[in-house]
Amino acid sequence: MNLRRLFFRTQSAPAARERLQVLLAHERLSADGADLVTKLRDEILQVIAKHVQLDSDKVSVRMERGAQVSTLAVDIEIPFDAGKKAA
Amino acid sequence: MGKVIVVTSGKGGVGKTTSSAALGAALAQNGDKVVVVDFDVGLRNLDLIMGAERRVVYDLVNVIQGEAKLTQALIRDKRVETLYLLPASQTRDKDNLTTEGVEKVIGALRTHFDWVICDSPAGIERGATLAMRHADIAIVVTNPEVSSVRDSDRIIGLLDSKTVKAENGERMEKHLLLTRYDPARAERGDMLKVDDVLEILSIPLLGIIPESMDVLRASNIGSPVTLADERSAPALAYFDAVRRLKGESLPVTIPGEKRGFFGKIFGRKAA
């Protein structure tokens, strides 16, 4: 083992604990497996699909689950005449 | 066209997910475009080992059921930009993995990536047989321990009968990855010797990964061991395994044999 690595290592267990707490908090809250962020994602996409013909290639979804705050980013390209097609 | 690798073992807990993440990352660290696919539907863990568990949007089952595009489900690694993860579903039943669906997904991944690494679930059920079905190369992860060797033998039998390659009468390329190898115990004669395992399973050796705290540390922080500490003993062993996988003929060193006093203190230079 390298000396530098031996002496300057930070503990990894606290990171493991924190990651598990966040992950399990999200997983336990969802009886059917879909956490709040997933439900919001699905419902937001459904609402938009009601008004716009969605091209799934033009939809990008990013999620980041945190301890206090999660983020959900739905990025959809809506063509000018999309409303007409759906109507 | 990329190569499809299945990382399999039969037995659980031998290091399939650790090895899938480490080999995938090591290949990507060399600049290859790699996707690691989790086939363990219902008990996914590759996302956790790779540190992407908070960013899962869609999964393999979503893609197979047509609920999401493949590009929407792929998660790009934050550290190595040519490394991607396709997570398994945590909630759906593994019956949602259809043979046709898996074939389509693997076919599509093959055209976009240099390497498609399929992390098989333990056991010999549907998830395991589907993970190996389209493989060009199999990496059989084995611990130097009787039950692991027996299960590996069983898996080798399946690789030679239940895969597309086998059904077409072609030979499946198989490699043995010996993991959790403890040199001290081997020296005391309390562990199966490398040669014993090789003789019993008779497939070529891809590498020997030493039992190491570095593997646990890497999993704690959510990083493949080759990224967590590139100079640690298991990382060096995985880097060497990748070189052999790519065709280099590199002699396999047995951990603990080559390093003298200074080697132990200062570590070895990366290959």
Side-chain angles (χ1 to χ4, degrees):
Chain A
M1 185 180 289
N2 188 302
L3 279 178
R4 181 179 52 80
R5 290 200 286 128
L6 189 66
F7 290 115
F8 294 99
R9 272 187 167 187
T10 50
Q11 287 187 355
S12 65
R17 190 182 123 98
E18 199 253 329
R19 292 174 62 225
L20 275 174
Q21 277 174 336
V22 173
L23 179 67
L24 296 182
H26 282 276
E27 287 190 351
R28 283 176 184 153
L29 272 177
S30 51
D32 57 344
D35 62 353
L36 179 63
V37 203
T38 307
K39 282 181 197 146
L40 287 173
R41 174 199 75 196
D42 289 348
E43 288 183 23
I44 288 169
L45 289 176
Q46 274 170 26
V47 167
I48 293 166
K50 262 195 351 202
H51 298 281
V52 181
Q53 185 90 45
L54 278 183
D55 177 351
S56 56
D57 282 329
K58 303 283 165 66
V59 177
S60 136
V61 185
R62 269 163 294 126
M63 283 149 62
E64 178 90 47
R65 296 170 183 85
Q68 304 302 323
V69 181
S70 294
T71 59
L72 168 65
V74 184
D75 194 340
I76 304 171
E77 250 180 58
I78 303 169
F80 178 67
D81 57 351
K84 260 189 276 175
K85 271 188 252 165
Chain B
M1 276 300 240
K3 287 244 166 92
V4 179
I5 300 177
V6 62
V7 178
T8 186
S9 71
K11 192 175 185 302
V14 295
K16 284 182 296 297
T17 301
T18 299
S19 297
S20 298
L23 294 168
L27 284 163
Q29 282 164 279
N30 285 331
D32 289 358
K33 209 174 167 197
V34 182
V35 61
V36 194
V37 187
D38 192 347
F39 272 82
D40 205 344
V41 173
L43 287 173
R44 74 166 173 229
N45 272 321
L46 188 60
D47 56 331
L48 196 54
I49 295 300
M50 292 181 72
E53 75 279 1
R54 297 186 193 187
R55 295 194 291 136
V56 173
V57 181
Y58 294 109
D59 56 56
L60 177 61
V61 171
N62 289 136
V63 175
I64 285 176
Q65 309 265 316
E67 295 155 356
K69 286 272 170 93
L70 190 52
T71 46
Q72 295 174 322
L74 289 171
I75 303 172
R76 181 190 234 167
D77 190 89
K78 283 190 167 169
R79 298 148 298 206
V80 186
E81 60 171 28
T82 55
L83 179 61
Y84 288 78
L85 161 70
L86 180 56
S89 165
Q90 180 68 331
T91 54
R92 314 270 193 104
D93 197 270
K94 58 180 175 300
D95 293 339
N96 283 307
L97 286 184
T98 60
T99 311
E100 304 74 39
V102 170
E103 183 177 355
K104 264 176 86 176
V105 170
I106 298 292
L109 290 174
R110 215 193 257 277
T111 61
H112 290 102
F113 291 91
D114 300 318
W115 303 92
V116 180
I117 300 182
C118 304
D119 180 22
S120 172
I124 51 171
E125 308 294 320
R126 187 179 189 80
T129 50
L130 280 175
M132 69 169 67
R133 179 141 188 87
H134 302 281
D136 303 306
I137 301 168
I139 295 178
V140 180
V141 181
T142 307
N143 293 166
E145 176 265 326
V146 286
S147 60
S148 175
V149 175
R150 179 206 210 169
D151 291 357
S152 293
D153 189 64
R154 184 85 195 276
I155 281 291
I156 291 169
L158 291 179
L159 288 166
D160 287 332
S161 60
K162 295 279 171 76
T163 53
V164 172
K165 276 215 152 187
E167 285 167 9
N168 291 340
E170 292 169 57
R171 233 190 104 265
M172 165 78 75
E173 185 182 329
K174 297 180 290 288
H175 299 277
L176 179 71
L177 189 66
L178 203 60
T179 54
R180 312 197 69 162
Y181 185 83
D182 185 337
R185 279 207 222 158
E187 207 152 295
R188 285 202 306 271
D190 288 336
M191 190 180 255
L192 277 172
K193 291 248 165 57
V194 176
D195 286 339
D196 298 337
V197 181
L198 283 175
E199 192 192 320
I200 296 165
L201 295 177
S202 54
I203 57 172
L205 184 61
L206 185 67
I208 304 171
I209 314 298
E211 171 82 61
S212 165
M213 274 300 291
D214 294 296
V215 172
L216 180 62
R217 281 181 52 83
S219 77
N220 279 344
I221 60 171
S223 170
V225 70
T226 53
L227 278 170
D229 187 347
E230 292 187 24
R231 297 194 53 198
S232 64
L236 294 173
Y238 279 116
F239 283 124
D240 281 357
V242 155
R243 288 171 64 188
R244 290 183 201 104
L245 195 61
K246 295 182 87 169
E248 227 176 290
S249 77
L250 193 69
V252 179
T253 50
I254 296 175
E257 276 198 346
K258 241 179 83 179
R259 290 162 68 177
F261 176 72
F262 281 98
K264 274 185 184 140
I265 289 183
F266 296 108
R268 284 184 301 178
K269 265 192 100 93

